[in-house]
Amino acid sequence: MAEPRELAEGPQPDLWAAASRAPAPKPHYLGHRDRLRDRAAAALDALPDYELLELHLFRAIPRGDVKPLAKALIARFGSLAAVLAASQAELKTVSGVGESVARDLKLLHQTALRVGREAVGKRTVITSWSQLLAYVKLVLAHEPREQFRVLFLDKKNQLIADELMNRGTVDHAPVYPREVMRRALELSASAVILVHNHPSGDPTPSGADIQMTREVVDAGRPLRITVHDHLVVGREGVASFRSLGLF
């Protein structure tokens, strides 16, 4: 029977050290950014909202996986539009959103607002009604507080200015008909369109909305300033007083 061989002299290999030198597993998201960019280049309009948001987050967060953050933002606010409409303070309540991310998202929102305003401003409101509705929804549909805005129009029904006249609570923004007409005279406006939002999401006009509109119409009549319409904006759509036959 053969004798057992003795162990070789000298240092033995450290199996734990060898294991520690083994390559770490690659992150599951490795290459995701490049793949997403490739898909965007092929069909940008086919990407879901969270991936569009991911692409934008790449700017402020140059490394790492931002898919969870994009999904968390949409889950927190309910939609991509609501994410962009949120204030910087609200955005920063989401884990992973710092000053630069919040500022970058607000930059995107402001850009969208200006593009929408330009599309409305270059044509008469009557012929760009669909763009107008899209614009007021972008501005107001996701506002957490009620706002009262006025679109001031010239004799050709082109937009002179879109101004916030008052900001209120979750269900009320005070309106002063004389202030609306005073500003219309300052801008040499011939007509106005009243716009406010219902943070509840339901755009159905209230009794107070109807009464206030009549007061503004009455204030403008002796000044020959026409109230073309009053639009109430909610997440569920836009209600037009004129279409509803309310004045």
Side-chain angles (χ1 to χ4, degrees):
M1 182 174 179
E3 295 290 334
R5 297 194 312 181
E6 295 183 358
L7 294 174
E9 296 182 358
Q12 299 299 307
D14 187 339
L15 298 180
W16 292 107
S20 68
R21 291 193 298 271
K26 295 180 180 180
H28 68 88
Y29 55 81
L30 191 66
H32 172 69
R33 291 190 177 215
D34 289 337
R35 292 191 296 271
L36 182 54
R37 290 189 181 105
D38 288 343
R39 294 212 316 277
L44 185 60
D45 59 347
L47 297 181
D49 287 352
Y50 79 87
E51 289 191 333
L52 287 176
L53 187 53
E54 271 192 86
L55 285 166
H56 194 74
L57 290 172
F58 288 174
R59 295 163 39 85
I61 305 175
R63 287 179 295 277
D65 185 11
V66 296
K67 181 189 289 187
L69 178 55
K71 289 186 172 181
L73 281 164
I74 290 177
R76 164 67 175 80
F77 295 104
S79 68
L80 177 58
V83 171
L84 300 184
S87 68
Q88 290 195 44
E90 290 170 329
L91 289 167
K92 287 190 286 186
T93 64
V94 178
S95 179
V97 176
E99 190 68 32
S100 62
V101 170
R103 185 174 55 247
D104 216 38
L105 290 172
K106 294 313 298 178
L107 171 64
L108 180 60
H109 186 229
Q110 185 60 221
T111 301
L113 290 178
R114 295 191 184 193
V115 169
R117 188 181 301 126
E118 184 179 1
V120 172
K122 286 188 172 181
R123 301 166 59 189
T124 65
V125 167
I126 303 303
T127 59
S128 59
W129 195 251
S130 61
Q131 287 95 329
L132 174 63
L133 296 182
Y135 170 65
V136 298
K137 284 187 67 176
L138 179 64
V139 174
L140 290 174
H142 299 282
E143 278 292 323
R145 303 285 180 186
E146 190 165 305
Q147 290 187 15
F148 181 77
R149 307 184 73 92
V150 180
L151 308 181
F152 297 95
L153 311 176
D154 63 16
K155 292 180 179 179
K156 296 181 180 179
N157 285 325
Q158 291 184 327
L159 185 66
I160 299 173
D162 163 23
E163 295 191 359
L164 173 63
M165 301 296 291
N166 221 326
R167 180 182 280 113
T169 63
V170 293
D171 61 2
H172 177 66
V175 180
Y176 305 101
R178 289 183 180 179
E179 287 299 306
V180 174
M181 291 305 151
R182 180 188 62 79
R183 185 58 178 149
L185 290 172
E186 289 176 350
L187 294 170
S188 299
S190 297
V192 298
I193 294 175
L194 312 178
V195 187
H196 85 280
N197 64 306
H198 282 177
S200 67
D202 180 3
T204 303
S206 66
D209 294 337
I210 296 170
Q211 178 60 34
M212 176 270 292
T213 304
R214 289 172 178 164
E215 291 174 3
V216 177
V217 171
D218 290 343
R221 189 173 289 116
L223 302 173
R224 295 186 178 181
I225 298 174
T226 303
V227 179
H228 278 327
D229 207 341
H230 185 170
L231 303 176
V232 184
V233 183
R235 291 185 299 277
E236 298 172 12
V238 180
S240 160
F241 271 49
R242 187 164 294 280
S243 296
L244 293 171
L246 293 176
F247 74 90

